[in-house]
Amino acid sequence: MADKRDYYEVLGVSKGASDTDIKKAYRSLAKKYHPDVNPGNTEAEAKFKEVNEAYEVLSDPQKKSKYDQFGHAAFDPSAGAGGYGGFGGFGGGFDVDLGDIFGSFFGGGSSRQRRNGPQRGEDIEVDITISFEEAVFGCKKDISFGRYGKCAKCNGSGAESGTVETCPTCRGSGQRRVMQNLGGMQFQTTTTCDTCRGTGRYIKNPCQKCKGSGFERQTKNLSVNIPAGIDHGKGLIMRGEGNEGKNGGPAGDVLVMVSVRRSPTFKREGYNLYCEVPITMSEAALGAEIEIPTLEGREKLSIPEGTQTGTVFPLRQRGVPMVNSSRRGDLYVTVNVEIPKSLNEKQKELLREFAKACGESNYAKKKSFLKKDKK
């Protein structure tokens, strides 16, 4: 076990990392080293296996607890009972089942029972990108991804027809006994059978298609209904569409992570929308009816006389539909007065005359500011 890297180091997290941090680190590394992304790269394949091994332990509360106490020795049958410093003082030879020891410590069953029992298949994460409009109004998207399913040739048995036999090494128990000499004392430990890997079954002629694994790589095509109002970074779960389970266990799920492209017109915050619309000096001063963008198209908005830049006009129930609800957020339209540039002399002269005609009385904010400044 000395050549094994620390599982926390493999995932790049600290020992006190939360379950969420561990899962996030695993997903990132699994994507990076996945065989589909690195075809023929044996180094990446080894990394992928190492990452999966680390996650299998650290994602399981019982296994993680054992690993935190004993390190890799917790899962090494060759470590013997002496590895835990507890059985040397009795003398003589003892028949020690490490799975039973850990089961009594942590409330679990034997290692063989867990190995042979139904195991849920792993989840699969699929990323999709949709437009802003598709997120607002909802849509249907077709996705395609790889998964591990039952081998079509052997129906998941891993064997050619009629070649599954009782393991000759362990006689179907899934375990074998090993004698070890520790400090001059003989210990007999029970470990997982190497021949059948704890299953109690021996495949004489492995299936040629799946090489005896019982699983094959498949391409799955699904249609995903994207609900109206979904936001960037949200996920949709498709139950039972992930990798096939083992020993009759249920299949994992598919988690569809949604990325939404930004809108050039609207800024979204929750279910509310924000939009900035430029207006002219004359429209702000005299009032006007302008066109504004909405989710349903362009509409008219009345601008009152004397509107100041930065004025916000709320349009209730004109924002993004709330997921699985008939309600909607609001639309907030902010008007900004655009000051004209590159004026010719005639235009400048007209503005000077206009400024003289207005005087100071038409600029209440400026007048109030000057009074405060004098004080």
Side-chain angles (χ1 to χ4, degrees), residues 312-323:
V312 178
F313 296 90
L315 281 71
R316 303 301 180 191
Q317 293 287 310
R318 303 305 297 276
V320 179
M322 298 183 182
V323 177

Side-chain angles (χ1 to χ4, degrees), residues 336-347:
N336 293 319
V337 179
E338 184 177 6
I339 306 302
K341 298 179 180 179
S342 305
L343 299 175
N344 57 37
E345 278 304 316
K346 182 179 180 181
Q347 292 166 336

